[in-house]
């Protein structure tokens, strides 16, 4: 088995110790995750807007309830950074926090019980976030999202406006997946991917992913020969890395975090990955953990959404010449290079773009409905009626994966 980015998936699990707060000890000078310096770490340490994602095990205790001490520790560090940065929190923990009150001793596997646990846990989690920030006279606002919300451009814009307005009013946005209504088919699956999408949605300058290990190792960090990976500049730096799956109360293990970090960095957002116990130095000078370097040419919010979050209405299959034109950049997609149309869609829908060998090229916003487009296939622009001479997908509304690897 592999992760979405091709990393081998190991049988070890990244579980927290879940002992008395603060849990696993922060990195020390003896740890390979401690004391790193680089230009990218300096960039993260001076970022003006940061998304901070906290995992379930960093918010709940052994009794599967919200742990006030853990949240207070996190809020103290967030407050210290807020003197120089805007902070948006992506909080896991709703399902985990609802397990104790409902008498559950292990994470539920069926959707209905997960949603019931989330309905209970979300109340306890939001209450504790609110109480903790109130110590600093700060107000929180809860923003619950589903994959369907992110997949629809109008809903994504509404979420963006809500988060921006909360920030303008000096409230702290606490974002979480709306597990109580999300379906198994329309589900982020973990808040790691959600945090990457929120980072780009809010034009964040950095993403800090807090887990229960000090950073990325090439294998289970409990193994004596595990190698610490301090910087990930390209996919080549992940060669030989074996990532773990989810832990006792969460769904997002190291494999999920690596995928989310690469997703955010492909969109131009630098990422720092470390443990919640290291939140202090992570937010102070970014000297701990693993840094994922971003692509320098940041995707626009629209292109990132189209590539990685949007619902798609159908598929266009292209010939080799059209693939070369699209992947070269700055070229609109014309009808002459399209060999097949799949699905029923309307003008303005987002479509997948597929090459002749079945490879996924990218996505774009189509200018015609499926019925109209079928009659245009393979025709040169000058051979089409006057009303059908616009590009099928204009270059401004087309984004390809080839340049984001």
């Amino acid at each position: 088995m592999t992760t979405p980015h091709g990393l081998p998936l190991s049988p070890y699990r990244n579980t927290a110790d879940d002992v008395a707060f603060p849990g696993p000890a922060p990195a020390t000078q003896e740890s390979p995750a401690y004391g790193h310096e680089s230009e990218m770490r300096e960039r993260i340490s001076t970022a003006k807007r940061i998304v901070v994602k906290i995992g379930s095990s960093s918010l709940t205790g052994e009794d599967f309830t919200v742990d006030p001490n853990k949240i207070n520790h996190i809020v103290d560090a967030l407050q210290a950074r807020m003197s120089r940065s805007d902070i948006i929190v992506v909080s896991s923990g709703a399902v985990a926090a609802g397990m104790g009150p409902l008498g559950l001793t292990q994470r539920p596997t069926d959707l209905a019980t997960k949603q019931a646990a989330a309905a209970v846990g979300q109340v306890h989690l939001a209450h504790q976030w609110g109480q903790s920030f109130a110590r600093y006279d700060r107000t929180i606002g809860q923003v619950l999202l589903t994959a369907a919300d992110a997949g629809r451009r109008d809903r994504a814009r509404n979420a963006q406006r809500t988060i921006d307005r909360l920030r303008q009013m000096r409230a702290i946005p606490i974002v979480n997946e709306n597990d109580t209504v999300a379906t198994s088919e329309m589900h982020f699956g973990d808040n790691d991917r959600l945090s990457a999408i929120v980072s780009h949605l809010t034009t964040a300058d950095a993403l800090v992913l807090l887990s229960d290990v000090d950073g990325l190792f090439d294998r289970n960090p409990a193994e004596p020969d595990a190698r610490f990976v301090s910087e990930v500049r390209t996919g080549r730096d992940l060669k030989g890395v074996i990532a773990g799956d989810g832990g006792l109360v969460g769904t997002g293990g190291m494999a999920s975090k690596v995928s989310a970090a690469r997703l955010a960095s492909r969109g131009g957002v630098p990422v720092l990955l470390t443990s919640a116990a290291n939140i202090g130095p992570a937010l102070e000078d970014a000297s701990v953990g693993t840094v994922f370097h971003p692509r320098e040419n940041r995707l626009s919010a629209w292109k990132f959404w189209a590539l990685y979050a949007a619902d798609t209405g159908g598929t266009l299959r292209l010939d080799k010449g059209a693939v070369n034109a699209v992947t070269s950049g700055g070229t609109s997609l014309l009808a002459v290079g399209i060999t097949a149309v799949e699905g029923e869609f309307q003008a303005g829908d987002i479509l997948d773009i597929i090459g002749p060998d079945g490879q996924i090229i990218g996505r774009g916003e189509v200018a015609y409905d499926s019925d109209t487009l079928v009659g245009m296939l393979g025709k040169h622009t000058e051979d089409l009626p006057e009303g059908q001479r616009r590009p099928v997908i204009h270059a401004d509304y087309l984004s390809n994966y080839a340049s984001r690897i």
Side-chain angles (χ1 to χ4, degrees):
M1 294 179 63
T2 62
T3 74
H5 292 290
L7 298 176
L9 187 63
S10 89
Y12 80 82
R13 293 179 177 271
N14 300 305
T15 58
D17 292 340
D18 282 332
V19 295
F21 185 82
T28 65
Q29 292 187 9
E30 291 73 33
S31 168
Y34 179 87
H36 296 278
E37 296 181 1
S38 68
E39 290 184 6
M40 191 54 60
R41 291 176 187 272
E42 174 68 17
R43 176 173 165 181
I44 293 172
S45 71
T46 58
K48 297 300 182 183
R49 184 177 304 167
I50 304 175
V51 172
V52 180
K53 188 268 177 180
I54 304 105
S56 299
S57 64
S58 303
L59 301 170
T60 56
E62 285 186 318
D63 59 351
F64 305 117
T65 62
V66 179
D67 188 324
N69 291 323
K70 288 185 176 183
I71 290 185
N72 286 345
H73 175 71
I74 291 168
V75 169
D76 291 343
L78 295 174
Q79 171 65 21
R81 181 61 188 257
M82 285 179 190
S83 63
R84 53 194 173 98
S85 302
D86 283 342
I87 299 287
I88 299 163
V89 176
V90 175
S91 170
S92 295
V95 174
M99 289 166 57
L102 290 174
L104 301 175
T105 58
Q106 59 183 8
R107 186 177 177 88
T109 56
D110 66 288
L111 182 60
T113 308
K114 284 181 185 177
Q115 291 177 325
V120 173
Q122 197 64 256
V123 175
H124 290 265
L125 193 62
H127 175 72
Q128 191 55 54
W129 278 119
Q131 278 200 324
S132 191
F133 273 111
R135 297 176 300 139
Y136 296 103
D137 294 322
R138 291 189 179 273
T139 299
I140 70 159
Q142 187 180 55
V143 182
L144 299 178
L145 298 175
T146 65
D149 296 325
R152 288 277 302 276
R153 189 59 179 156
D154 55 344
R155 295 187 192 178
R157 284 174 176 160
N158 283 338
Q160 180 183 26
R161 284 193 289 264
T162 299
I163 292 171
D164 285 345
R165 189 60 179 146
L166 285 169
R167 290 176 37 255
Q168 292 166 5
M169 300 178 75
R170 295 185 55 79
I172 313 303
I174 308 291
V175 184
N176 198 348
E177 178 158 17
N178 193 353
D179 293 294
T180 59
V181 299
T183 65
S184 56
E185 293 79 15
M186 290 298 296
H187 202 259
F188 288 110
D190 57 72
N191 279 320
D192 297 317
R193 181 178 176 83
L194 173 61
S195 69
I197 292 173
V198 169
S199 296
H200 218 279
L201 192 68
T202 59
T203 325
D205 301 307
L207 168 62
V208 177
L209 286 172
L210 299 177
S211 66
D212 43 30
V213 291
D214 288 339
L216 178 64
F217 291 78
D218 66 347
R219 65 198 67 196
N220 186 341
E223 296 181 16
D225 57 345
R227 177 180 61 86
F228 179 69
V229 181
S230 63
E231 308 272 332
V232 177
R233 292 175 175 81
T234 70
R236 290 188 294 273
D237 294 321
L238 295 171
K239 185 177 181 179
V241 172
I242 302 173
D245 59 353
L248 181 64
V249 293
T251 57
M254 188 55 68
S256 168
K257 287 164 180 58
V258 170
S259 293
R262 296 203 71 198
L263 174 58
S265 63
R266 282 172 173 170
V269 180
V271 181
L272 176 63
L273 169 63
T274 190
S275 71
N278 293 333
I279 188 172
L283 294 181
E284 176 59 32
D285 58 11
S287 61
V288 295
T290 302
V291 165
F292 289 76
H293 290 237
R295 294 286 176 177
E296 289 307 315
N297 298 322
R298 181 169 185 157
L299 288 174
S300 69
W302 184 90
K303 287 193 173 184
F304 184 91
W305 170 79
L307 277 178
Y308 299 116
D311 295 338
T312 56
T315 299
L316 301 181
R317 294 190 177 273
L318 312 187
D319 61 26
K320 185 176 180 180
V323 169
N324 291 336
V326 167
T327 55
S328 67
T331 303
S332 297
L333 176 61
L334 305 179
V336 66
I338 303 173
T339 60
V341 173
E342 299 174 5
E344 296 182 5
F345 49 82
Q346 301 299 316
D349 284 353
I350 302 296
L351 304 185
D352 286 316
I353 302 169
I354 308 294
D357 298 324
Q359 71 273 32
I360 301 176
I361 304 303
R363 287 179 171 183
E365 182 180 305
V366 68
Y368 305 94
D369 62 58
S370 52
D371 290 340
T372 301
L373 191 53
V374 166
M376 299 168 58
L377 296 189
K379 295 182 180 179
H380 290 277
T381 302
E382 59 269 22
D383 297 330
L384 292 168
E386 188 68 32
Q388 297 178 5
R389 293 184 178 180
R390 290 170 294 141
V392 175
I393 299 179
H394 192 278
D396 290 345
Y397 298 99
L398 188 156
S399 194
N400 70 82
Y401 293 108
S403 62
R404 315 310 302 177
I405 296 175

